[in-house]
Amino acid sequence: MGIKKGGKLIAAIIAVFSFITIAWFSCTKAGSNLNTCNYYVCENGGYCHRDTLTKLVGCLCPTGYEGATCATVSVAKYVGTWDMLQVITGSDSSAFKNDTIHYTVFLKATATPTTFFIDNFGSNPYYNNIICTLDSTNSSKFIIDTISAFHLLYDNFHIVSGYGSISSNDSSIIAHMITRHLSATSNWIDDTFYLSLKPHLF
């Protein structure tokens, strides 16, 4: 009778040990959990990954998030008040070429982590909510949406195309844009803009 009890006890201990071992490796194995591996937590839907060569653990972040744990919203580096240098580098009208102005623009967050708004474009308080969308593979680059420019159509001003990038230390933004507007003689004029933005010093 003692042998049978001893055998059952050993079998039970082995079963418990096996369960704990399986649970341990399941919880800590890289990639076994969408948010954790080896106690490394990825936020905002990031996926924990172990590099096959370096064996280092890190996070693979979804578009719109970055950083070691995907905790940083990619668009956050753009949001704020910026001083704009705007130069018309090319134009269908010689009267506009090389026209240069300085003014303040406001880059605002939207409801998504991959887009931001430009407000006060051209130093015009009515030129707001122009959407910029981050590049899906490089958040330091963006395109300027032409559809959202319907806000500017009230005076026949169109954004034809535009794109830009932010510097590696987030201290400046360079962008290029082509616009189209209706002249006083009812002719459409295309202008090419060079835009340079620096953080506004309060």
Side-chain angles (χ1 to χ4, degrees):
M1 180 69 87
I3 295 175
K4 288 184 178 180
K5 286 184 176 179
K8 289 181 179 179
L9 180 59
I10 292 172
I13 291 173
I14 292 173
V16 170
F17 178 77
S18 298
F19 175 78
I20 292 173
T21 302
I22 292 171
W24 172 262
F25 282 106
S26 296
C27 289
T28 59
K29 183 180 178 182
S32 64
N33 186 294
L34 290 179
N35 298 306
T36 64
C37 56
N38 291 339
Y39 307 107
Y40 201 94
V41 178
C42 300
E43 301 181 40
N44 297 306
Y47 185 88
C48 194
H49 169 75
R50 184 188 296 277
D51 189 283
T52 55
L53 296 176
T54 66
K55 306 302 181 185
L56 296 176
V57 174
C59 292
L60 300 178
C61 303
T63 301
Y65 298 95
E66 56 192 55
T69 62
C70 306
T72 303
V73 180
S74 298
V75 78
K77 55 180 168 276
Y78 293 95
V79 174
T81 303
W82 297 77
D83 291 328
M84 170 83 85
L85 164 65
Q86 175 182 299
V87 182
I88 297 179
T89 57
S91 177
D92 292 337
S93 171
S94 58
F96 294 106
K97 191 172 181 181
N98 298 320
D99 187 36
T100 301
I101 60 172
H102 295 82
Y103 59 95
T104 301
V105 292
F106 309 99
L107 306 188
K108 303 188 309 182
T110 67
T112 72
T114 57
T115 59
F116 62 91
F117 287 131
I118 298 178
D119 278 7
N120 198 47
F121 178 73
S123 194
N124 189 324
Y126 296 103
Y127 287 1
N128 294 326
N129 294 341
I130 301 170
I131 298 175
C132 296
T133 303
L134 304 189
D135 186 283
S136 60
T137 59
N138 184 352
S139 67
S140 292
K141 297 181 178 181
F142 62 91
I143 60 170
I144 301 171
D145 181 48
T146 57
I147 297 176
S148 64
F150 72 87
H151 295 282
L152 286 59
L153 294 182
Y154 77 94
D155 61 354
N156 295 309
F157 186 95
H158 304 251
I159 294 177
V160 178
S161 65
Y163 63 92
S165 62
I166 192 168
S167 62
S168 58
N169 61 359
D170 304 338
S171 65
S172 64
I173 297 173
I174 298 296
H176 302 271
M177 181 187 293
I178 297 176
T179 67
R180 178 171 296 156
H181 68 276
L182 201 59
S183 70
T185 56
S186 298
N187 293 319
W188 287 104
I189 295 175
D190 286 355
D191 295 325
T192 301
F193 288 86
Y194 167 82
L195 309 171
S196 175
L197 292 77
K198 300 286 186 181
H200 181 73
L201 299 178
F202 292 91

